[in-house]
Amino acid sequence: MADEKKEFNKTIDPSTFELLAIAEAEGISTIFDRAAALKACPIGSSGACCKVCSMGPCRLTGKNEVGLCGATRATVAARNYARDVAAGAAAHSDHGRDMAMTLLAACEGHAPDYKIKDVPKLMVVAKLLDVETEGKETIEIGRDVALAALDNFSSTKKECDYVRRAPAKRAEVWRNIGITPRGVDREIVEVLHRTHMGVDQDAEHIMNHAMRCSLGDGWGGSMLGTDISDILFGTPGPVSARSDFGVLSEDEVNVVIHGHEPTLSMMIVEAAGDPEILEYAKSKGAKGINLAGMCCTANEILMREGVPLLGNFLSQELSIVTGAVEAMVVDIQCIMQGLVAVAQNYHTEIISTSPKAKITGSTYMEFDEHHALEQAKAILRKAIDNYPNRKKTHIPNYVNNLVAGFSHEYINYMLGGSFRQSVRPLIDNIANGRIRGAAGVVGCNNARLTHDDNQTKIVMEMIKNDIIVVTTGCNAIADAKWGLLSPEVMDMCGPGLKEICQTIGIPPVLHMGSCVDNSRILTLVGQVATEGGLGEDVCDAPTVGFAPEWMSEKAISIGTYVVASGVTTWMIGPNPYGNSPEVVELMDKGFREKVGASLYFEPDVDKAIADAIAHIDAKRAELKLEPYDPKKYAKSDTYYPTDYTTPEVFDENRYSRSGT
Ligand code: NFS
């Protein structure tokens, strides 16, 4: 019994649960086992370890208040925090830069397989980047936009161009405290310099710069990454698709695309439609090619092409355990090193593609944008060649339907129609109390937490309380698998939100894309503030952010730029900088005084939910909006009863989830 309970606590996801049992029976070690066997270091996990010089590492625990050089707990925790932000910002922004490089190569004729797909978006971005468009061919504008974007990464200007996209009041807040982002490269370098031994020693000062660096990511590198992806591959609009392990096929070549950059994944989608490739698959006995997405690349190809979602971060090793995956094609970020070891027990080929990410034991097929389609086809041929090697398969029989593709452009169109695109109906219905507020729920899985439990719990609790949700990343995939992106989810909503969703035809949980696309959320909250009606700045509105199962440095950068943009955010789990009460206080009160929002690390998810709802109500009261009263609106007889106590035994019918 005790073991059963331990097993269940690893996940709430029936298909993950099923595959874990198979992995165990077959003696395959996964991250779930390693999490049980390897405890986290208590010193590092609270930000108490300083290893910026070789006299240490200094462990500031017990009676040790300072390190050898005299660095205090606060300085050390703040430095650790700033370095996490810098690493996360670097990952997002280097991805963004690659998108600009691809656009440049396409417009200069070096990457013939890429085209400008969304000309209206190109024009919008050109204007934002001060690129002259009069009398120029589209391709010339594309080239100049790419160059202007590249210039923004290493800009010597005082402010990066997209600061003008922020509401005027917000930009003023940043200027007043000196955290307006310049080129993100410069902000990252400055974090590394300031946190070098013996430079910046004041925790608050270090943390201010951490905010500046994160803003260079959110309003710089990431936002450019999203915009240029839209220019090259199209701005997403609603798309229906399927999710979960049941999307794998018994009689087609299954290719899992895992990682982040759409340059690779979109080309593989195109190559998979090539009749010659299809014929090749048939020549090897398969009925066709079946693509499925993993992690944030999944969100990129779902949003634009409706490619099914296989799973989120913690599902990656288990997808190989199905025995049904001929190739897992990976590029960068969130790719577990354990994949190759798992794949050695099956026929799955791990194909790495990025010159930035050499993965020992994988088959390396460098993806080069100059010959993109040819290389995508070569990758697929390799997968097809592997099909005859498939042996026994275990494909869990779970599929859920979903609707995704909610770019901020589409949300504007959906709310305002084609003549007057606007977020006004959203603002009005928050103001009149039918919608209580809005929550952004984003980010990773974490093997120290029950897989997908916090993700789905927070989203369900929000919509039940009439709080509309925008989601990205691994949270969006958890939601999809749990049926929370399907139309039926309306029945879980509180009465006011349900009424609005039915009237406007808007789902209560809006999938806005990958982690880089959190910049779409920034644009949306910026528009709400600029339009007026919920205060004049982002921090005035009744909005909150959550990272329910965060684990990566990218999540720290995201959490920080969301807070610095004015949205109070809860990261669920222990505070990785909690060794310094001063740093914790600076993230709470200090950030609130400076940028009007706080950053909380909260291990108790129920407390975080309660605090976030109280925060929304407090913001409503400050704005003197109608008090939220669900009884005033339509009666909801399908009000969803929730019991979130983790059951003793695995119960696949715990929520509304329907297996097929
Ligand atoms: Ni973002 Fe976390 Fe990775 Fe995507 Fe998932 S783990 S920070 S959500 S896939 S980037």
Side-chain angles (χ1 to χ4, degrees):
M1 186 65 203
D3 273 341
E4 243 177 65
K5 189 177 174 192
K6 201 169 108 202
E7 185 71 21
F8 170 61
N9 282 340
K10 291 176 181 170
T11 184
I12 61 157
D13 178 10
S15 47
T16 302
F17 185 75
E18 196 175 311
L19 287 168
L20 271 171
I22 290 164
E24 194 180 329
E26 295 183 351
I28 308 296
S29 160
T30 68
I31 187 171
F32 294 89
D33 306 310
R34 296 190 292 273
L38 182 69
K39 296 289 164 230
C41 163
I43 298 159
S45 63
S46 63
C49 178
C50 180
K51 53 186 188 67
V52 300
C53 83
S54 76
M55 296 185 289
C58 292
R59 308 193 292 180
L60 302 192
T61 54
K63 289 189 186 139
N64 301 330
E65 287 298 327
V66 296
L68 257 67
C69 69
T72 62
R73 287 182 184 225
T75 304
V76 168
R79 283 203 296 229
N80 286 328
Y81 168 57
R83 285 192 165 215
D84 288 347
V85 168
H92 284 142
S93 299
D94 214 33
H95 163 167
R97 185 199 325 268
D98 279 351
M99 301 312 302
M101 299 290 279
T102 303
L103 178 62
L104 183 64
C107 295
E108 288 183 338
H110 307 308
D113 301 324
Y114 297 97
K115 305 265 176 306
I116 290 173
K117 195 159 176 193
D118 192 336
V119 177
K121 179 108 189 200
L122 174 71
M123 295 313 213
V124 170
V125 174
K127 195 162 174 220
L128 285 163
L129 294 176
D130 277 338
V131 169
E132 188 53 67
T133 55
E134 266 315 293
K136 279 197 208 161
E137 298 276 328
T138 303
I139 201 136
E140 287 175 77
I141 300 170
R143 181 202 56 207
D144 292 349
V145 161
L147 290 170
L150 287 169
D151 189 45
N152 260 269
F153 286 88
S154 53
S155 171
T156 48
K157 290 183 198 166
K158 273 196 183 149
E159 302 184 352
C160 72
D161 286 330
Y162 275 3
V163 169
R164 61 182 60 144
R165 206 154 153 172
K169 270 217 154 182
R170 181 66 4 195
E172 225 23 66
V173 166
W174 296 339
R175 284 184 197 115
N176 287 343
I177 52 173
I179 62 165
T180 312
R182 300 160 295 184
V184 66
D185 293 356
R186 183 170 176 189
E187 305 306 0
I188 293 165
V189 168
E190 197 170 312
V191 167
L192 295 180
H193 177 198
R194 287 187 189 215
T195 57
H196 183 275
M197 193 268 146
V199 187
D200 204 351
Q201 299 172 14
D202 181 85
E204 185 175 1
H205 198 240
I206 295 168
M207 290 165 75
N208 281 353
H209 187 69
M211 281 201 280
R212 189 177 200 179
C213 180
S214 75
L215 288 169
D217 172 4
W219 294 85
S222 281
M223 203 171 271
L224 286 162
T226 296
D227 280 351
I228 297 174
S229 299
D230 286 353
I231 290 169
L232 284 169
F233 305 115
T235 302
V239 59
S240 57
R242 298 170 309 140
S243 68
D244 215 332
F245 279 101
V247 306
L248 289 176
S249 170
E250 289 285 5
D251 50 18
E252 292 171 300
V253 178
N254 289 311
V255 178
V256 176
I257 317 174
H258 174 20
H260 281 75
E261 292 185 344
T263 30
L264 165 74
S265 48
M266 290 295 285
M267 227 17 89
I268 289 186
V269 174
E270 190 174 334
D274 187 292
E276 182 203 324
I277 292 289
L278 233 72
E279 271 317 302
Y280 190 59
K282 286 182 184 157
S283 77
K284 299 283 176 180
K287 285 205 172 136
I289 296 175
N290 181 46
L291 301 181
M294 176 68 64
C295 285
C296 272
T297 240
N299 292 318
E300 298 278 358
I301 48 180
L302 164 75
M303 295 282 282
R304 298 192 178 90
E305 298 289 335
V307 173
L309 295 173
L310 187 60
N312 48 9
F313 177 74
L314 282 180
S315 313
Q316 54 186 287
E317 291 171 311
L318 292 167
S319 64
I320 297 168
V321 174
T322 62
V325 175
E326 275 59 55
M328 180 180 275
V329 188
V330 304
D331 55 11
I332 47 156
Q333 298 175 22
C334 304
I335 297 150
M336 284 189 211
Q337 194 158 354
L339 280 177
V340 170
V342 177
Q344 274 159 359
N345 299 281
Y346 300 89
H347 77 305
T348 306
E349 188 107 33
I350 306 289
I351 302 177
S352 55
T353 58
S354 169
K356 289 179 195 165
K358 194 98 191 171
I359 295 177
T360 314
S362 67
T363 305
Y364 183 56
M365 297 178 79
E366 185 170 321
F367 187 76
D368 166 9
E369 66 208 4
H370 302 99
H371 317 281
L373 192 57
E374 256 330 293
Q375 277 159 319
K377 286 183 192 169
I379 288 169
L380 288 181
R381 277 194 211 99
K382 184 103 186 142
I384 294 166
D385 286 339
N386 202 14
Y387 183 73
N389 299 326
R390 191 191 283 188
K391 297 188 186 77
K392 200 166 80 186
T393 61
H394 317 271
I395 301 179
N397 192 16
Y398 291 96
V399 179
N400 243 307
N401 296 323
L402 66 107
V403 180
F406 295 96
S407 52
H408 55 265
E409 286 90 344
Y410 190 80
I411 292 174
N412 271 265
Y413 168 76
M414 186 170 61
L415 293 171
S418 50
F419 292 110
R420 189 178 176 274
Q421 299 191 9
S422 145
V423 285
R424 178 53 57 193
L426 178 66
I427 294 171
D428 289 347
N429 283 298
I430 291 177
N432 68 27
R434 279 189 173 83
I435 300 177
R436 191 174 190 172
V441 192
V442 308
C444 331
N445 288 139
N446 183 327
R448 302 279 175 206
L449 299 167
T450 302
H451 172 223
D452 285 352
D453 192 18
N454 288 347
Q455 307 273 33
T456 49
K457 179 187 290 188
I458 289 173
V459 169
M460 287 192 288
E461 197 59 24
M462 290 299 112
I463 61 174
K464 178 183 131 186
N465 281 285
D466 291 302
I467 296 164
I468 193 165
V469 171
V470 289
T471 174
T472 60
C474 285
N475 179 269
I477 300 174
D479 295 344
K481 289 185 293 174
W482 216 246
L484 298 174
L485 302 183
S486 69
E488 290 78 45
V489 77
M490 297 258 190
D491 289 339
M492 287 189 195
C493 295
L497 179 60
K498 183 175 179 179
E499 187 185 317
I500 296 307
C501 289
Q502 284 171 338
T503 315
I504 307 181
I506 172 180
V509 185
L510 298 161
H511 184 347
M512 293 189 76
S514 65
C515 251
V516 158
D517 295 336
N518 283 320
S519 61
R520 297 191 201 278
I521 300 180
L522 293 181
T523 306
L524 190 63
V525 293
Q527 277 180 343
V528 168
T530 305
E531 184 126 355
L534 294 174
E536 293 170 3
D537 191 1
V538 178
C539 63
D540 300 333
T543 55
V544 292
F546 286 102
E549 297 175 24
W550 78 275
M551 59 87 197
S552 77
E553 291 157 321
K554 288 182 287 181
I556 296 290
S557 179
I558 295 165
T560 304
Y561 71 62
V562 169
V563 169
S565 300
V567 179
T568 291
T569 296
W570 282 261
M571 318 269 295
I572 309 302
N575 191 326
Y577 319 107
N579 191 50
S580 163
E582 188 184 329
V583 165
V584 175
E585 182 72 0
L586 282 166
M587 288 176 168
D588 177 357
K589 210 163 147 240
F591 282 180
R592 187 161 57 248
E593 280 164 6
K594 287 194 178 81
V595 295
S598 301
L599 181 61
Y600 297 113
F601 290 90
E602 176 54 66
D604 179 345
V605 67
D606 298 313
K607 180 175 184 312
I609 290 169
D611 288 353
I613 293 175
H615 177 81
I616 282 177
D617 288 345
K619 287 286 165 190
R620 296 188 64 84
E622 275 171 31
L623 286 170
K624 302 196 171 43
L625 301 179
E626 295 267 319
Y628 165 75
D629 177 9
K631 287 187 226 78
K632 255 171 63 182
Y633 301 106
K635 270 215 181 70
S636 171
D637 30 61
T638 46
Y639 202 68
Y640 194 69
T642 42
D643 171 11
Y644 294 131
T645 330
T646 303
E648 292 281 311
V649 288
F650 184 73
D651 172 13
E652 68 179 57
N653 297 315
R654 184 171 160 214
Y655 301 134
S656 71
R657 164 87 180 226
S658 57
T660 57

